[in-house]
């Protein structure tokens, strides 16, 4: 049966602890700052990719993602020792029928174009179930709208003035440094362009460097040497005359090979 639960990985995640399956409801007021913190740490540095993913998701929140079914279930289950996670999911999604089923059945929207991307028929979503933190009981619509505002604000910030963070990482430590630097730069009011030198092509790195006003490049070391992806990227950066006048910095995570 269709549940209309969207499993979203790091999207819509928080580091909010759930003590038990009876404690799955978190108020929007408590959830919002945690969502903001997670977005700033994990997704703001790659806001353009986040925006693309949101557009392709094409989610259409359903009415059953509101609080009223939860309150009704909680009130009706006091004599029965409470409700569990599976019961909540069934009540809030198409497995439980109700408003969600009626809304999905009535929806007859065709393919649509959002920000240049052709999406499938709008996907009815009762709640988001992220990789970290509780599902979006009661605030699915608010969360989706808030993420769109976050990505739009980050994109505007990036267009105004941005810094490129170029890096490669062997065991994740240099990537952690890159993310920390990106958060600091963004909090100062500047945009961020994250460049993983192991993934982006040489031409894509050139395009990023044309857009940014400054950059930082980070690297681990392998037996005392700079990994090839970083060395190649650095060579392209310094060979372009316009980059030589841009403010720059370096960072890295190393030491085990004697540096």
């Amino acid at each position: 049966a269709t549940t209309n639960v969207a499993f979203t990985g790091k999207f819509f995640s928080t580091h909010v602890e759930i003590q038990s399956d009876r404690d799955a409801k978190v108020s929007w007021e408590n959830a919002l700052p945690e969502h903001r913190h997670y977005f700033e740490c994990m997704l703001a540095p790659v806001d353009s990719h986040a925006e693309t993913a949101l557009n392709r998701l094409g989610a259409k929140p359903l009415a059953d993602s509101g609080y009223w079914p939860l309150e009704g279930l909680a009130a009706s289950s006091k004599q029965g020792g409470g409700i569990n996670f599976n019961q909540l999911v069934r009540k809030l999604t198409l497995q439980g029928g109700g408003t969600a089923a009626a809304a999905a059945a009535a929806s007859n929207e065709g393919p649509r174009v959002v920000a240049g991307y052709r999406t499938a028929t709008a996907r009815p979503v009762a709640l988001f179930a992220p990789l970290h933190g509780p599902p979006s009981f009661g605030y699915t619509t608010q969360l989706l709208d808030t993420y769109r505002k976050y990505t739009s604000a980050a994109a505007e910030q990036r267009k105004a003035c941005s810094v490129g963070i170029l890096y490669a990482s062997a065991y994740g430590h240099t990537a952690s440094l890159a993310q920390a630097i990106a958060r600091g730069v963004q909090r100062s009011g500047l945009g961020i362009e994250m460049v993983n030198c192991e993934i982006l092509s040489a031409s894509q790195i050139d395009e990023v460097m044309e857009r940014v006003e400054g950059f930082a490049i980070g690297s681990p070391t392998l037996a005392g040497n700079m990994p090839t992806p970083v060395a190649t990227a650095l060579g392209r950066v310094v060979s372009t005359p316009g980059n030589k006048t841009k403010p720059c910095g370096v960072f890295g995570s190393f030491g085990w090979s004697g540096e």
Side-chain angles (χ1 to χ4, degrees):
T2 300
T3 64
N4 288 82
V5 176
F7 294 91
T8 55
K10 291 183 177 180
F11 264 76
F12 312 118
S13 283
T14 59
H15 286 150
V16 176
E17 183 180 5
I18 301 176
Q19 297 294 336
S20 70
D21 59 3
R22 298 182 184 179
D23 189 30
K25 185 176 77 172
V26 177
S27 71
W28 175 238
E29 291 74 18
N30 291 333
L32 178 57
E34 300 298 332
H35 280 293
R36 178 69 184 180
H37 179 70
Y38 193 96
F39 182 90
E40 288 181 349
C41 292
M42 301 301 298
L43 297 176
V46 290
D47 63 275
S48 60
H49 300 291
E51 187 174 32
T52 298
L54 281 178
N55 290 333
R56 289 180 173 175
L57 175 62
K60 178 184 178 183
L62 295 172
D64 267 6
S65 62
Y67 266 144
W68 63 269
L70 288 172
E71 302 296 349
L73 276 174
S76 64
S77 61
K78 289 181 180 179
Q79 302 299 324
I83 52 179
N84 61 33
F85 178 80
N86 290 330
Q87 287 176 311
L88 287 175
V89 170
R90 290 185 64 84
K91 186 66 176 180
L92 292 176
T93 63
L94 294 187
Q95 288 185 357
T99 307
S107 176
N108 192 27
E109 295 184 18
R112 54 189 187 136
V113 177
V114 181
Y117 293 97
R118 183 179 176 85
T119 71
T121 301
R123 298 173 178 87
V125 174
L127 74 159
F128 298 121
L131 183 63
H132 302 290
S136 59
F137 288 130
Y139 54 83
T140 301
T141 300
Q142 296 99 311
L143 184 55
L144 184 61
D145 291 343
T146 297
Y147 253 64
R148 285 173 176 154
K149 291 177 182 177
Y150 288 166
T151 55
S152 296
E156 290 301 318
Q157 195 176 56
R158 174 165 42 86
K159 292 176 183 177
C161 183
S162 61
V163 175
I165 309 293
L166 293 75
Y167 71 96
S169 190
Y171 298 101
H173 303 301
T174 308
S176 296
L177 288 173
Q179 291 169 358
I181 292 170
R183 291 197 297 271
V185 171
Q186 191 171 51
R187 286 170 183 168
S188 71
L190 301 177
I192 292 294
E193 292 264 11
M194 294 293 282
V195 177
N196 187 330
C197 299
E198 298 177 275
I199 298 177
L200 267 65
S201 66
S203 61
Q204 289 175 313
I205 293 175
D206 290 342
E207 291 174 2
V208 170
M209 290 304 302
E210 289 179 4
R211 293 194 296 266
V212 300
E213 283 70 40
F215 67 94
I217 187 165
S219 175
T221 57
L222 298 175
N225 297 312
M226 183 183 298
T228 300
V230 181
T232 301
L234 181 60
R236 295 188 69 89
V237 169
V238 299
S239 66
T240 303
N243 293 332
K244 294 181 179 180
T245 59
K246 294 180 179 180
C248 63
V250 295
F251 62 95
S253 175
F254 45 79
W256 60 270
S257 54
E259 296 80 9

